[in-house]
Amino acid sequence: MISKDRLQKRIELLAQIGKTEIGGVSRIALTKEYKEGLDLVTNWMEEAGMTVRLDEAGNLIGRKEGTNPELKAIALGSHIDSVDNGGKYDGVIGVLGGIEVVQHLKEESITNKRSLEVIAFCEEEGSRFQSGGVFGSRAMVGNLLKKDLEVTDDKGNSRYEVLKDFGLDPDNISNAIRNKEEFDLYLEMHIEQGPILIREDIPVGIVTGITGLSLTEVTFHGEANHVGGTPMDLRYDALLGASETALAVEEIVNEYGGNAVGTAATMEVIPSQVNIIPGRVSTVIDIRDTDYERREAILKKLEAKVKEISTRRNLGYQLKSKLKANPALSAQHILDTMKKKSKELGISTFEMPSGGGHDAQLMAEITDMAMVFVRSENGSHNPDEYAKPEDIKSGTDLLMETALYYVNR
Ligand SMILES: [Zn+2]
């Protein structure tokens, strides 16, 4: 069986690496702490009977060969990098839970026809290069752009240099690409990054799909002028345009409903001084939805609204798409299997979309995928995130039974 104690012990041991003063974890991708974390995870993968390698993008891959090499592999995984001062569980439980599944097979002498892989994807969080994250999984599905190697961290080192210093070979990063013929499916366990499972009082979530994300920068150009000397009818206040846009985001997203969420996440005001009417204001609008068509419709409506605001207020405007990640739906057959297995295990589950992005979203481009969520107190990306050992055990049991169903099929 899954060993709750071993899993818990490993979570605590990994949390020691990069431990911060306030009890959080800073294990930023491709740092010394990250290397230390990878070494520890490598030991555990080997203990579970896997051969381990690091690909050119820094993804750690453990593999237990199947008895039938003709069959596509089953992959389990997540990430062990963290945000600055993050928690112990985000990403970690998916990797360590995956190792636990493989170790169970070894200990119970269960043979696997299909090969099993456990993958710790590199730099899921994207907190080092502020470039949207999911770097390792993007590399694996062949989705990197040239600029992904050129981006720099806060010390001015490019990702290319950082990968090189880490002992990798970024010139041959395309070697990390895997194809559709290699994987039968990908399963990822992760803590829920919101309060829904807590609210429902249910330990485990079955993720129906991962939300698509779009970041759009809206900039209004007005006229910076004296606040005392400029009458109300002769003002071109860029902040008022941006403020109306922020309110419009809420209104439009509520109008469409469903799983859509929208946020005016930043506001840059230039100049930002008393005595001066803001002349230029940029706001980055974050729209997420599991439904591609609906997200596009929301973006279109928002664009029309920005245009209307700028005309009415006599402001210039610019729209710039900064990032677009498409939504990914979980494979229905895996969801059906998960529902059946959770019933057999006596674990109550709740079907829900994922509002956060995950490596599974990228893996969906080359294979079927589904995710298991584990209830987490205090959300994620902070030192107080907390998943109960028994909930992690339930999630891992479901992960294991689902993997076992497919592994000899
Ligand atoms: Zn994560």
Side-chain angles (χ1 to χ4, degrees):
M1 274 318 274
I2 293 298
S3 165
K4 186 175 90 179
D5 292 343
R6 178 169 58 203
L7 195 46
Q8 207 54 40
K9 203 174 127 207
R10 287 178 176 174
I11 291 168
E12 294 300 331
L13 280 170
L14 195 50
Q16 295 304 309
I17 301 173
K19 189 176 176 180
T20 62
E21 272 171 23
I22 55 167
V25 177
S26 289
R27 201 167 42 247
I28 309 292
L30 303 169
T31 56
K32 186 170 96 344
E33 290 78 22
Y34 188 66
K35 173 81 176 73
E36 236 179 281
L38 288 184
D39 288 345
L40 198 53
V41 172
T42 299
N43 289 341
W44 293 332
M45 283 176 167
E46 284 171 351
E47 195 186 312
M50 289 181 264
T51 49
V52 188
R53 69 186 176 94
L54 196 62
D55 75 10
E56 300 304 353
N59 297 312
L60 188 74
I61 303 168
R63 185 172 167 106
K64 182 176 193 289
E65 289 301 331
T67 52
N68 185 347
E70 307 275 291
L71 294 175
K72 295 178 180 181
I74 306 284
L76 311 170
S78 198
H79 61 98
I80 67 153
D81 68 313
S82 77
V83 295
D84 191 27
N85 239 324
K88 296 176 190 174
Y89 305 93
D90 188 318
V92 166
I93 66 164
V95 175
L96 300 188
I99 295 173
E100 194 59 40
V101 170
V102 180
Q103 194 145 1
H104 168 81
L105 260 69
K106 184 185 171 193
E107 287 166 354
E108 302 293 319
S109 305
I110 300 169
T111 53
N112 48 305
K113 274 196 209 159
R114 292 178 189 275
S115 297
L116 266 162
E117 290 196 11
V118 178
I119 307 171
F121 288 100
C122 187
E123 212 203 336
E124 192 272 347
E125 298 291 6
S127 35
R128 178 154 185 185
F129 296 97
Q130 305 287 336
S131 62
V134 287
F135 171 73
S137 48
R138 283 192 293 132
M140 193 171 280
V141 302
N143 216 341
L144 287 185
L145 303 169
K146 195 165 158 268
K147 72 168 192 220
D148 284 307
L149 293 180
E150 292 164 357
V151 289
T152 51
D153 63 13
D154 57 3
K155 291 191 184 72
N157 302 309
S158 71
R159 189 186 260 137
Y160 179 91
E161 290 162 336
V162 169
L163 286 166
K164 224 164 187 171
D165 287 348
F166 204 74
L168 299 167
D169 179 8
D171 290 311
N172 286 309
I173 200 154
S174 59
N175 288 347
I177 297 176
R178 311 285 296 269
N179 63 54
K180 288 184 174 159
E181 305 313 310
E182 295 184 66
F183 295 117
D184 186 47
L185 52 90
Y186 172 75
L187 304 173
E188 179 165 351
M189 178 168 70
H190 201 280
I191 55 167
E192 188 210 349
Q193 296 171 298
I196 295 171
L197 291 173
I198 295 272
R199 187 189 69 198
E200 299 293 328
D201 195 21
I202 289 177
V204 173
I206 293 177
V207 177
T208 50
I210 304 170
T211 193
L213 157 77
S214 72
L215 295 178
T216 312
E217 188 178 59
V218 182
T219 306
F220 285 98
H221 302 271
E223 202 173 88
N225 219 332
H226 196 287
V227 299
T230 317
M232 293 308 279
D233 61 339
L234 290 177
R235 288 169 178 236
Y236 307 101
D237 185 334
L239 181 55
L240 294 180
S243 305
E244 268 201 63
T245 302
L247 291 171
V249 169
E250 186 189 33
E251 195 183 307
I252 294 169
V253 169
N254 279 335
E255 186 186 309
Y256 278 88
N259 297 318
V261 289
T263 315
T266 68
M267 196 74 84
E268 190 188 17
V269 181
I270 299 171
S272 178
Q273 286 176 43
V274 290
N275 260 336
I276 308 177
I277 298 165
R280 191 176 90 214
V281 178
S282 296
T283 171
V284 175
I285 310 291
D286 180 321
I287 307 279
R288 301 179 186 217
D289 201 339
T290 47
D291 185 323
Y292 176 83
E293 305 291 336
R294 190 170 51 208
R295 185 193 66 185
E296 292 303 296
I298 290 171
L299 282 172
K300 224 170 174 176
K301 185 138 194 187
L302 184 67
E303 230 176 285
K305 184 70 186 171
V306 167
K307 195 172 170 195
E308 186 268 312
I309 294 168
S310 77
T311 309
R312 180 162 38 81
R313 291 190 169 274
N314 272 314
L315 300 168
Y317 79 98
Q318 251 173 337
L319 285 166
K320 197 165 131 199
S321 173
K322 289 185 72 97
L323 182 75
K324 249 188 184 184
N326 289 336
L329 291 178
S330 302
Q332 191 56 47
H333 69 96
I334 312 180
L335 296 179
D336 293 340
T337 305
M338 282 181 169
K339 279 185 265 182
K340 190 164 163 262
K341 293 296 168 190
S342 56
K343 213 168 254 167
E344 287 169 15
L345 288 161
I347 299 168
S348 49
T349 56
F350 186 74
E351 285 180 65
M352 59 191 295
S354 167
H358 294 284
D359 294 305
Q361 194 166 2
L362 278 299
M363 288 301 278
E365 293 184 16
I366 58 167
T367 189
D368 286 352
M369 69 85 189
M371 289 186 75
V372 173
F373 268 177
V374 173
R375 170 169 60 187
S376 168
E377 285 171 28
N378 310 315
S380 77
H381 287 180
N382 70 73
D384 295 327
E385 69 182 28
Y386 175 70
K388 289 186 189 137
E390 53 270 36
D391 289 356
I392 298 174
K393 160 99 165 58
S394 296
T396 312
D397 281 335
L398 179 57
L399 187 72
M400 180 178 76
E401 289 303 326
T402 307
L404 283 183
Y405 172 80
Y406 287 104
V407 87
N408 286 319
R409 199 180 60 132

